[in-house]
Short mmCIF file of all heavy atoms in Angstrom, two decimals:
data_model
loop_
_atom_site.label_atom_id
_atom_site.label_comp_id
_atom_site.label_asym_id
_atom_site.label_seq_id
_atom_site.Cartn_x
_atom_site.Cartn_y
_atom_site.Cartn_z
N ASP A 1 35.10 15.61 -57.43
CA ASP A 1 34.28 16.77 -57.86
C ASP A 1 34.06 17.75 -56.71
O ASP A 1 34.16 18.97 -56.89
CB ASP A 1 32.90 16.29 -58.36
CG ASP A 1 32.95 15.68 -59.73
OD1 ASP A 1 33.85 15.99 -60.53
OD2 ASP A 1 32.05 14.85 -60.02
N LEU A 2 33.79 17.21 -55.52
CA LEU A 2 33.59 18.05 -54.35
C LEU A 2 34.84 18.86 -54.03
O LEU A 2 34.77 20.05 -53.73
CB LEU A 2 33.21 17.15 -53.16
CG LEU A 2 32.85 17.84 -51.84
CD1 LEU A 2 31.61 18.72 -52.00
CD2 LEU A 2 32.64 16.79 -50.76
N ALA A 3 36.00 18.23 -54.10
CA ALA A 3 37.27 18.91 -53.85
C ALA A 3 37.48 20.06 -54.84
O ALA A 3 37.85 21.18 -54.44
CB ALA A 3 38.44 17.92 -53.94
N VAL A 4 37.23 19.83 -56.11
CA VAL A 4 37.40 20.88 -57.12
C VAL A 4 36.43 22.03 -56.85
O VAL A 4 36.83 23.20 -56.87
CB VAL A 4 37.19 20.31 -58.54
CG1 VAL A 4 37.12 21.40 -59.58
CG2 VAL A 4 38.31 19.32 -58.88
N ARG A 5 35.17 21.72 -56.59
CA ARG A 5 34.16 22.77 -56.33
C ARG A 5 34.54 23.63 -55.13
O ARG A 5 34.20 24.80 -55.09
CB ARG A 5 32.77 22.15 -56.11
CG ARG A 5 32.08 21.68 -57.36
CD ARG A 5 30.60 21.42 -57.15
NE ARG A 5 30.25 20.65 -55.97
CZ ARG A 5 30.17 19.32 -55.91
NH1 ARG A 5 30.45 18.59 -56.99
NH2 ARG A 5 29.83 18.72 -54.79
N ASN A 6 35.20 23.04 -54.15
CA ASN A 6 35.52 23.77 -52.93
C ASN A 6 36.95 24.31 -52.86
O ASN A 6 37.41 24.77 -51.80
CB ASN A 6 35.22 22.89 -51.71
CG ASN A 6 33.71 22.76 -51.51
OD1 ASN A 6 32.99 23.74 -51.62
ND2 ASN A 6 33.25 21.56 -51.25
N GLY A 7 37.67 24.25 -53.97
CA GLY A 7 38.96 24.94 -54.04
C GLY A 7 40.15 24.21 -53.46
O GLY A 7 41.13 24.85 -53.05
N TRP A 8 40.13 22.87 -53.43
CA TRP A 8 41.30 22.10 -52.99
C TRP A 8 42.25 21.95 -54.18
O TRP A 8 41.81 21.76 -55.32
CB TRP A 8 40.86 20.73 -52.48
CG TRP A 8 40.11 20.83 -51.18
CD1 TRP A 8 38.76 21.08 -51.02
CD2 TRP A 8 40.66 20.69 -49.87
NE1 TRP A 8 38.45 21.11 -49.69
CE2 TRP A 8 39.59 20.89 -48.94
CE3 TRP A 8 41.92 20.45 -49.38
CZ2 TRP A 8 39.78 20.82 -47.59
CZ3 TRP A 8 42.10 20.38 -48.02
CH2 TRP A 8 41.04 20.58 -47.12
N ASN A 9 43.55 21.97 -53.92
CA ASN A 9 44.55 21.80 -55.01
C ASN A 9 44.89 20.35 -55.23
O ASN A 9 45.26 19.99 -56.36
CB ASN A 9 45.82 22.57 -54.69
CG ASN A 9 45.71 24.04 -55.01
OD1 ASN A 9 44.72 24.49 -55.60
ND2 ASN A 9 46.71 24.80 -54.62
N GLY A 10 44.83 19.52 -54.20
CA GLY A 10 45.25 18.14 -54.38
C GLY A 10 44.89 17.26 -53.21
O GLY A 10 44.47 17.74 -52.15
N ILE A 11 45.09 15.95 -53.41
CA ILE A 11 44.84 14.93 -52.40
C ILE A 11 45.95 13.89 -52.50
O ILE A 11 46.24 13.40 -53.60
CB ILE A 11 43.48 14.24 -52.60
CG1 ILE A 11 42.34 15.25 -52.66
CG2 ILE A 11 43.24 13.21 -51.50
CD1 ILE A 11 40.99 14.65 -53.07
N ILE A 12 46.54 13.55 -51.36
CA ILE A 12 47.49 12.44 -51.27
C ILE A 12 46.82 11.36 -50.43
O ILE A 12 46.36 11.65 -49.32
CB ILE A 12 48.81 12.87 -50.59
CG1 ILE A 12 49.45 14.09 -51.25
CG2 ILE A 12 49.77 11.69 -50.46
CD1 ILE A 12 50.11 13.82 -52.57
N VAL A 13 46.75 10.14 -50.94
CA VAL A 13 46.07 9.05 -50.22
C VAL A 13 47.04 7.92 -49.95
O VAL A 13 47.53 7.29 -50.92
CB VAL A 13 44.85 8.52 -51.02
CG1 VAL A 13 44.14 7.43 -50.23
CG2 VAL A 13 43.89 9.65 -51.35
N TYR A 14 47.28 7.64 -48.71
CA TYR A 14 48.06 6.45 -48.31
C TYR A 14 47.05 5.32 -48.24
O TYR A 14 46.58 4.90 -47.17
CB TYR A 14 48.77 6.67 -46.99
CG TYR A 14 49.69 5.54 -46.56
CD1 TYR A 14 50.51 4.92 -47.47
CD2 TYR A 14 49.70 5.12 -45.25
CE1 TYR A 14 51.34 3.87 -47.09
CE2 TYR A 14 50.53 4.09 -44.85
CZ TYR A 14 51.34 3.47 -45.76
OH TYR A 14 52.18 2.45 -45.37
N GLY A 15 46.64 4.89 -49.44
CA GLY A 15 45.59 3.90 -49.65
C GLY A 15 45.18 3.95 -51.11
O GLY A 15 45.98 4.36 -51.96
N CYS A 16 43.93 3.59 -51.39
CA CYS A 16 43.46 3.50 -52.77
C CYS A 16 42.42 4.54 -53.13
O CYS A 16 41.73 5.08 -52.26
CB CYS A 16 42.85 2.11 -53.01
SG CYS A 16 44.04 0.76 -52.92
N ILE A 17 42.29 4.75 -54.45
CA ILE A 17 41.22 5.57 -55.01
C ILE A 17 40.43 4.69 -55.97
O ILE A 17 40.85 3.56 -56.30
CB ILE A 17 41.77 6.81 -55.75
CG1 ILE A 17 42.75 6.46 -56.91
CG2 ILE A 17 42.51 7.72 -54.78
CD1 ILE A 17 42.12 6.44 -58.24
N ARG A 18 39.30 5.20 -56.45
CA ARG A 18 38.53 4.51 -57.49
C ARG A 18 38.04 5.56 -58.48
O ARG A 18 38.27 6.75 -58.29
CB ARG A 18 37.39 3.70 -56.91
CG ARG A 18 36.30 4.50 -56.28
CD ARG A 18 35.32 3.57 -55.57
NE ARG A 18 33.96 4.07 -55.66
CZ ARG A 18 32.90 3.32 -55.51
NH1 ARG A 18 33.02 2.02 -55.28
NH2 ARG A 18 31.69 3.82 -55.57
N ASP A 19 37.40 5.14 -59.54
CA ASP A 19 36.95 6.05 -60.59
C ASP A 19 38.14 6.79 -61.19
O ASP A 19 38.09 8.01 -61.43
CB ASP A 19 35.91 7.05 -60.05
CG ASP A 19 34.71 6.38 -59.40
OD1 ASP A 19 34.16 5.44 -60.02
OD2 ASP A 19 34.35 6.76 -58.28
N SER A 20 39.21 6.07 -61.45
CA SER A 20 40.45 6.69 -61.88
C SER A 20 40.33 7.45 -63.22
O SER A 20 40.97 8.51 -63.36
CB SER A 20 41.58 5.66 -61.97
OG SER A 20 41.25 4.66 -62.91
N VAL A 21 39.52 6.97 -64.12
CA VAL A 21 39.35 7.67 -65.41
C VAL A 21 38.71 9.03 -65.18
O VAL A 21 39.18 10.05 -65.70
CB VAL A 21 38.57 6.81 -66.42
CG1 VAL A 21 38.25 7.62 -67.67
CG2 VAL A 21 39.35 5.54 -66.76
N ALA A 22 37.64 9.05 -64.39
CA ALA A 22 36.93 10.33 -64.10
C ALA A 22 37.86 11.27 -63.33
O ALA A 22 37.91 12.47 -63.59
CB ALA A 22 35.65 10.07 -63.33
N LEU A 23 38.59 10.75 -62.35
CA LEU A 23 39.50 11.59 -61.56
C LEU A 23 40.59 12.18 -62.45
O LEU A 23 41.03 13.31 -62.24
CB LEU A 23 40.12 10.80 -60.42
CG LEU A 23 39.19 10.45 -59.26
CD1 LEU A 23 39.89 9.54 -58.28
CD2 LEU A 23 38.65 11.69 -58.57
N GLY A 24 41.01 11.45 -63.46
CA GLY A 24 42.04 11.91 -64.36
C GLY A 24 41.62 13.09 -65.21
O GLY A 24 42.47 13.76 -65.81
N LYS A 25 40.33 13.36 -65.28
CA LYS A 25 39.80 14.47 -66.06
C LYS A 25 39.58 15.75 -65.23
O LYS A 25 39.23 16.79 -65.77
CB LYS A 25 38.51 14.07 -66.73
CG LYS A 25 38.70 12.95 -67.75
CD LYS A 25 37.39 12.49 -68.34
CE LYS A 25 37.63 11.34 -69.30
NZ LYS A 25 36.38 10.79 -69.82
N LEU A 26 39.79 15.62 -63.91
CA LEU A 26 39.53 16.76 -63.03
C LEU A 26 40.77 17.64 -62.88
O LEU A 26 41.89 17.13 -62.85
CB LEU A 26 39.12 16.27 -61.65
CG LEU A 26 37.77 15.55 -61.54
CD1 LEU A 26 37.56 15.05 -60.12
CD2 LEU A 26 36.63 16.47 -61.96
N PRO A 27 40.57 18.95 -62.72
CA PRO A 27 41.70 19.85 -62.45
C PRO A 27 42.11 19.77 -60.98
O PRO A 27 41.94 20.68 -60.19
CB PRO A 27 41.16 21.24 -62.81
CG PRO A 27 39.68 21.12 -62.54
CD PRO A 27 39.31 19.70 -62.86
N LEU A 28 42.63 18.60 -60.61
CA LEU A 28 42.95 18.28 -59.22
C LEU A 28 44.16 17.35 -59.23
O LEU A 28 44.22 16.40 -60.02
CB LEU A 28 41.77 17.59 -58.57
CG LEU A 28 41.88 17.18 -57.10
CD1 LEU A 28 41.92 18.43 -56.20
CD2 LEU A 28 40.69 16.30 -56.72
#
């Protein structure tokens, strides 16, 4: 959410994420 609010286009993580369902709904 913070990334979207601040105008980031994307994130690449050499590791893990969580909250995958919520992240899947973001324009990111």
Side-chain angles (χ1 to χ4, degrees):
D1 284 335
L2 185 63
V4 170
R5 284 196 313 271
N6 287 316
W8 291 84
N9 280 352
I11 305 171
I12 306 286
V13 182
Y14 185 43
C16 293
I17 59 98
R18 67 188 214 158
D19 305 312
S20 61
V21 172
L23 289 173
K25 295 177 183 175
L26 294 176
L28 182 68

